[in-house]
């Protein structure tokens, strides 16, 4: 486990508190979408609480380049933040990221440096204008039109995931057909390496997009719990189903991480792991849409 992963683990286990160099610092863990890879990117950052929003700083510990999470939010300005709560455990929040500009950026940067001089040192060391980003947690009480849009987006994301799944299935068929055509001893030789690599890529894309979809949902469920208390049992069930899928996704990603040569045995294993991920997924999607969308549309269910 890397240094970052250890901090994140400690953070999650201790309601957002960690020791070492972050001892006593207000920390938030953010997950963004990798701008080039599409892979979820999770990292701890120091925040400054400013009313309802949280300000985070792209100091990158004084390195000469902006941190990856900053580039990611320039691509997709939607993040999931995890933060300690009064309930005694870390809660995920879905948030919109806005980069502060001009005088506002400078003013909050100065405030942060005054509060924590390490940030001044980072600025001097990096010779960059360090970005200041405001995170606005999702609040479903504010804008009915936005809530309706979130419902529409949910359906779009589910459709995209279904389409990706269809591509993965097609890639599995292609590898199988390639393997049979290439050789009578397909068991040893397997499919063409490029087909196997294509399959691996499709699988990884599906895997990361599913992980990202769930990470985002976990964050928005917190806003649902606040706004629609009658949905508590529904959200408990959905969260529990996410845990099952997340475990299967982690195993799937690990398998894909070993690389692929395309032997029939290996393709069979990929298919078995995929089946584990998608078991009951259609039912989960349908239940989620059926129960959450009426609430977002203002229909009390
Ligand atoms: Fe879900
Ligand atoms: Fe979903």
């Amino acid at each position: 486990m890397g240094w970052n992963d250890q901090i994140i683990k400690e953070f999650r286990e201790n309601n957002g508190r960690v020791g070492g160099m972050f001892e006593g610092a207000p920390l938030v863990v953010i997950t963004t979408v990798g701008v080039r890879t599409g892979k979820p990117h999770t990292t701890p950052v120091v925040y400054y609480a400013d009313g309802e929003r949280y300000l985070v700083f792209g100091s990158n510990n004084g390195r000469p380049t902006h941190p990856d999470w900053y580039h990611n939010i320039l691509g997709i300005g939607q993040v999931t933040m995890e933060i300690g709560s009064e309930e005694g455990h870390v809660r995920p929040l879905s948030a919109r990221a806005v980069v502060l500009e001009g005088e506002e950026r400078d003013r909050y940067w100065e405030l942060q440096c005054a509060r924590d001089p390490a940030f001044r040192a980072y600025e001097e060391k990096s010779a960059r204008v360090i970005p200041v980003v405001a995170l606005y947690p999702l609040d479903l009480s504010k804008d009915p039109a936005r809530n309706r849009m979130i419902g529409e987006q949910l359906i779009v994301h589910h459709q995209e995931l279904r389409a990706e799944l269809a591509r993965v299935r097609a890639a599995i068929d292609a590898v199988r057909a390639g393997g049979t055509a290439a050789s009578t001893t397909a068991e040893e030789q397997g499919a063409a390496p490029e087909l196997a690599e294509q399959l691996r890529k499709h699988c990884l894309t599906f895997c990361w997009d599913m992980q990202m979809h769930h990470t985002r949902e976990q964050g928005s469920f917190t806003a649902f719990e606040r706004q629609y208390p009658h949905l508590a049992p529904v959200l408990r069930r959905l969260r529990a189903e996410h845990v099952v899928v997340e475990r299967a996704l982690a195993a799937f990603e690990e398998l894909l991480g070993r690389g692929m040569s395309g032997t029939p045995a290996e393709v069979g294993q990929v298919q078995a792991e995929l089946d584990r991920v998608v078991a009951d997924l259609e039912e989960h999607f349908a239940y989620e849409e059926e129960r959450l969308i009426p609430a977002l549309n203002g229909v009390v269910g």
Side-chain angles (χ1 to χ4, degrees):
M1 194 185 279
W3 182 76
N4 230 26
D5 292 336
Q6 258 165 27
I7 292 177
I8 293 165
K9 184 169 181 282
E10 192 182 339
F11 177 93
R12 287 177 176 157
E13 286 170 358
N14 295 286
N15 192 24
R17 283 183 300 273
V18 300
M21 71 175 280
F22 286 127
E23 178 87 56
L27 272 194
V28 61
V29 162
I30 58 172
T31 301
T32 54
V33 191
V35 72
R36 283 182 307 275
T37 60
K39 193 177 172 181
H41 177 82
T42 303
T43 189
V45 281
V46 168
Y47 71 85
Y48 178 107
D50 181 46
E52 286 180 1
R53 64 183 191 173
Y54 298 82
L55 305 181
V56 291
F57 308 89
S59 63
N60 210 6
N61 294 327
R63 291 189 192 93
T65 54
H66 294 321
D68 289 342
W69 64 258
Y70 176 71
H71 293 290
N72 294 345
I73 62 139
L74 292 182
I76 296 176
Q78 214 44 51
V79 310
T80 302
M81 45 184 281
E82 296 168 65
I83 195 156
S85 75
E86 285 168 9
E87 291 107 315
H89 58 90
V90 166
R91 303 221 74 188
L93 302 172
S94 182
R96 190 167 50 91
V98 177
V99 179
L100 299 192
E101 309 273 357
E103 183 276 330
E104 190 187 20
R105 178 259 163 214
D106 296 346
R107 183 157 38 93
Y108 283 104
W109 174 250
E110 288 306 317
L111 281 169
Q112 176 62 12
C113 290
R115 198 188 60 161
D116 185 346
F119 281 76
R120 181 72 71 209
Y122 293 147
E123 182 182 43
E124 282 161 9
K125 194 173 148 201
S126 75
R128 285 184 286 127
V129 175
I130 290 177
V132 180
V133 177
L135 303 177
Y136 293 85
L138 175 66
D139 180 347
L140 294 171
S141 71
K142 289 198 165 151
D143 183 357
R146 187 170 147 73
N147 289 7
R148 274 196 296 280
M149 207 183 72
I150 292 169
E152 284 160 19
Q153 279 299 315
L154 179 75
I155 294 173
V156 169
H157 287 153
H158 286 173
Q159 300 286 31
E160 284 169 357
L161 290 164
R162 287 185 185 105
E164 268 172 32
L165 188 57
R167 281 195 284 277
V168 172
R169 301 253 195 243
I172 288 176
D173 291 344
V175 172
R176 287 229 162 101
T180 317
S183 167
T184 47
T185 54
E187 196 61 42
E188 284 98 33
Q189 297 199 355
E194 57 271 24
L195 280 181
E197 184 49 30
Q198 248 175 44
L199 170 59
R200 200 179 78 91
K201 275 195 188 137
H202 282 306
C203 286
L204 271 177
T205 301
F206 174 70
C207 191
W208 293 339
D209 285 351
M210 263 320 293
Q211 283 167 348
M212 212 53 235
H213 179 68
H214 278 178
T215 301
R216 285 208 186 109
E217 280 185 347
Q218 294 291 97
S220 61
F221 286 177
T222 306
F224 274 88
E225 280 153 1
R226 203 159 291 159
Q227 186 64 20
Y228 312 115
H230 71 284
L231 287 181
V234 171
L235 295 163
R236 258 199 305 279
R237 169 176 155 178
L238 289 170
R239 281 196 198 274
E241 289 173 355
H242 283 187
V243 171
V244 174
V245 177
E246 271 161 39
R247 274 196 209 118
L249 281 170
F252 192 40
E253 193 183 354
E254 214 228 280
L255 174 71
L256 297 167
R258 289 182 225 147
M260 277 189 69
S261 51
T263 61
E266 188 188 57
V267 175
Q269 205 185 347
V270 166
Q271 181 143 40
E273 288 293 343
L274 180 71
D275 287 346
R276 237 189 297 280
V277 173
V278 299
D280 307 323
L281 204 61
E282 271 303 332
E283 203 188 317
H284 174 83
F285 284 176
Y287 182 69
E288 203 158 58
E289 290 173 12
E290 177 198 310
R291 303 309 298 264
L292 301 188
I293 290 171
L296 289 167
N297 290 340
V299 181
V300 180

